[in-house]
Amino acid sequence: MFENLLNQEAVKFLISDIKNNRFPQSVLFSGSDSSGKLTTALETARIFSCTGKVKGKWKCECPSCLQHKALVNSSMLLLGPRDCALEIAATKEIFLKAVRENPPYLIASRYAFLRSIRKLTLRFNGVLWDGHKDIKKIGALMEKINEALESLDFPHELPSFDELENLCSELVKNTAELEDKYLYNSVPIDQIRNLEVWAHRKSESGKKTIIIENCDKMLEGVRNALLKILEEPPADCIFILITSKRNAVMPTILSRVRTYSFNERSLSQQQQVIQTIFRNDEFKGTINEYLLNYLPVPAEKIRQIAEDFYSSLVKGHIPDIVKTVSDCNDFIPRVGLKIFLNHITSLQKKLLLTAEGCEAKYECSKVIQQCYQNVTLYNQRPQDSLDILVRELSRINVIYGKLLCADM
């Protein structure tokens, strides 16, 4: 069990609880980013639906396990926000390289690329989006993605390299659009209602699993709706909640789940993951730092653009918002916006040296956070959201006697 998970102590407790029939119906996987929580959740779902003689064996070839490895098993739902674009771009590169060079890990790299895409597309299962106003647009985009995936999936032979390269590029483009336009930063309440109906349907084989990633980002109404299901979960359904911020999870939800804590991987352990998954033994940073290499605009350039933007603003000038957004590739993927806003926040650290500065910093933090939510939660255009941010930060700067200028 869990042979595909590297350097994580939590699996010892999971294996023990599963083997001894102590695994509860509702659990929380809690730990830092890049600690393997989603991989573990997906493996747990596979184990509980396995129909092989030795339950949960990694090389099991029962139909259920093969479907889970390819992330196409119908006994699992996956929802919640996630930055998928960079992993998709990174696995695309190693997959194409493997096809060119035909190394022993070709099959593994093919699986990695397919799975990176399905970690996104699973969140657009028709069960979850039933009745949504954008279901037709999402369906049309999903049809394009699934058609391309079909050509790359096992057991089909891969097309010529040129055709394969075009297919992969088209997949990266379409998945980026899917994530940017429709993957909200919080779970819509309709998805909780839809999954409740699905959860109460009788399972044809094994247990069903519902995985909710970044559950700490759910709005109050969504959390309350989920709580009602967790209080009386269907007998053949397992709920796995995932968070990197356990303290932000509603206490009443915490009381309904058993927490499995995932330790933060050391730098050397993260580099082992990079070597194993992305076949790179030269990069010396963390997993998150490695993935940032696949941003269409380098992170350092985004930070410099943010610095110029903020400097112009606090000096009383109006930044060129249209150019800012364009230079940052329209903040696609959205992690670029996070880098941009985080750097503006870091430029205000000196404000914490005085009481008045602390007040100004608090007000700035609120409007910066709102800017991010306007884009990721309420689907506002980055240009419109930055326009609001400029007005609000300028207002704060006037109220506090141009105190923000002291930072530059």
Side-chain angles (χ1 to χ4, degrees):
M1 292 184 183
F2 301 105
E3 292 94 331
N4 65 329
L5 187 69
L6 301 174
N7 304 314
Q8 190 48 255
E9 292 293 319
V11 299
K12 295 180 180 179
F13 302 102
L14 287 165
I15 292 171
S16 175
D17 287 347
I18 291 171
K19 286 185 174 180
N20 293 289
N21 295 317
R22 295 196 303 260
F23 191 85
Q25 280 189 262
S26 302
V27 300
L28 176 71
F29 290 174
S30 174
S32 61
D33 292 337
S34 303
S35 57
K37 301 184 295 298
L38 179 59
T39 298
T40 306
L42 295 171
E43 262 302 274
T44 303
R46 182 186 72 82
I47 291 166
F48 275 102
S49 69
C50 176
T51 59
K53 291 182 179 179
V54 182
K55 196 173 185 66
K57 186 179 179 182
W58 172 244
K59 293 186 178 181
C60 178
E61 294 191 359
C62 77
S64 180
C65 282
L66 292 177
Q67 290 171 357
H68 268 289
K69 287 178 184 178
L71 296 186
V72 293
N73 194 293
S74 61
S75 67
M76 179 183 71
L77 288 181
L78 172 62
L79 58 157
R82 178 184 177 84
D83 294 324
C84 300
L86 300 186
E87 183 181 350
I88 292 172
T91 53
K92 171 207 165 187
E93 181 181 88
I94 188 59
F95 171 50
L96 290 176
K97 180 181 178 182
V99 173
R100 283 195 303 268
E101 300 176 1
N102 195 30
Y105 58 79
L106 173 57
I107 291 177
S109 67
R110 187 174 175 181
Y111 262 120
F113 182 53
L114 291 169
R115 283 172 63 92
S116 70
I117 292 172
R118 286 178 175 143
K119 286 176 188 177
L120 171 65
T121 58
L122 275 171
R123 298 164 207 267
F124 294 90
N125 188 308
V127 169
L128 296 171
W129 291 82
D130 184 38
H132 192 275
K133 63 181 178 63
D134 291 322
I135 187 66
K136 290 185 178 179
K137 295 177 182 177
I138 292 170
L141 197 49
M142 283 287 292
E143 187 176 352
K144 291 180 184 178
I145 293 169
N146 288 330
E147 186 178 330
L149 283 177
E150 180 70 21
S151 302
L152 306 183
D153 208 351
F154 298 95
H156 301 296
E157 288 190 12
L158 294 174
S160 67
F161 186 79
D162 288 344
E163 185 180 349
L164 177 65
E165 197 169 29
N166 288 334
L167 276 172
C168 290
S169 296
E170 195 67 18
L171 276 167
V172 169
K173 174 187 171 184
N174 288 332
T175 52
E177 181 181 352
L178 184 68
E179 180 178 336
D180 174 57
K181 289 185 176 179
Y182 304 112
L183 188 59
Y184 308 128
N185 204 42
S186 176
V187 176
I189 193 167
D190 286 346
Q191 291 192 3
I192 299 298
R193 292 167 179 157
N194 289 341
L195 73 80
E196 181 178 14
V197 174
W198 180 85
H200 281 92
R201 292 174 186 159
K202 187 173 178 59
S203 174
E204 295 180 1
S205 61
K207 288 186 178 289
K208 296 187 292 186
T209 305
I210 295 173
I211 301 170
I212 304 178
E213 195 169 15
N214 289 304
C215 65
D216 53 280
K217 295 184 178 181
M218 292 187 295
L219 300 178
E220 185 176 359
V222 181
R223 289 181 288 176
N224 290 331
L226 176 63
L227 180 61
K228 293 178 182 177
I229 307 172
L230 296 180
E231 287 174 343
E232 295 183 21
D236 63 348
C237 194
I238 293 171
F239 287 82
I240 302 177
L241 311 185
I242 300 175
T243 183
S244 57
K245 299 177 181 178
R246 188 176 184 275
N247 291 338
V249 179
M250 192 164 70
T252 45
I253 288 181
L254 291 177
S255 69
R256 298 292 189 275
V257 299
R258 178 186 299 171
T259 298
Y260 290 88
S261 297
F262 285 64
N263 57 280
E264 183 174 2
R265 286 167 168 155
S266 66
L267 180 59
S268 61
Q269 289 174 335
Q270 293 193 55
Q271 288 169 359
Q272 184 183 353
V273 173
I274 294 171
Q275 292 166 8
T276 303
I277 304 299
F278 303 107
R279 308 293 168 175
N280 187 315
D281 55 6
E282 297 179 356
F283 187 78
K284 301 306 179 184
T286 66
I287 295 172
N288 284 339
E289 288 169 344
Y290 176 80
L291 291 176
L292 288 180
N293 289 320
Y294 293 89
L295 277 169
V297 180
E300 278 309 309
K301 183 176 179 181
I302 293 176
R303 293 187 185 100
Q304 184 57 57
I305 293 170
E307 193 161 330
D308 294 342
F309 176 92
Y310 184 68
S311 176
S312 175
L313 185 153
V314 298
K315 291 176 181 176
H317 306 304
I318 299 177
D320 189 338
I321 297 175
V322 173
K323 185 175 187 303
T324 296
V325 173
S326 176
D327 288 347
C328 292
N329 194 53
D330 294 332
F331 292 109
I332 300 174
R334 291 293 177 240
V335 66
L337 179 62
K338 187 184 298 183
I339 293 169
F340 181 89
L341 295 176
N342 282 348
H343 192 62
I344 289 179
T345 299
S346 72
L347 294 172
Q348 300 174 336
K349 285 183 179 178
K350 291 182 181 178
L351 291 173
L352 298 175
L353 297 176
T354 65
E356 190 178 25
C358 287
E359 291 180 14
K361 180 72 167 64
Y362 173 72
E363 294 298 324
C364 289
S365 296
K366 286 197 299 183
V367 298
I368 290 172
Q369 178 63 26
Q370 187 60 54
C371 176
Y372 184 73
Q373 289 185 345
N374 285 343
V375 175
T376 60
L377 188 58
Y378 302 113
N379 209 28
Q380 189 175 63
R381 292 194 315 158
Q383 182 176 329
D384 296 336
S385 187
L386 287 185
D387 186 51
I388 295 171
L389 179 67
V390 167
R391 292 202 305 268
E392 289 301 306
L393 288 179
S394 298
R395 178 184 61 81
I396 292 169
N397 201 28
V398 170
I399 291 174
Y400 288 91
K402 297 188 178 181
L403 187 61
L404 304 189
C405 299
D407 258 1
M408 302 306 296

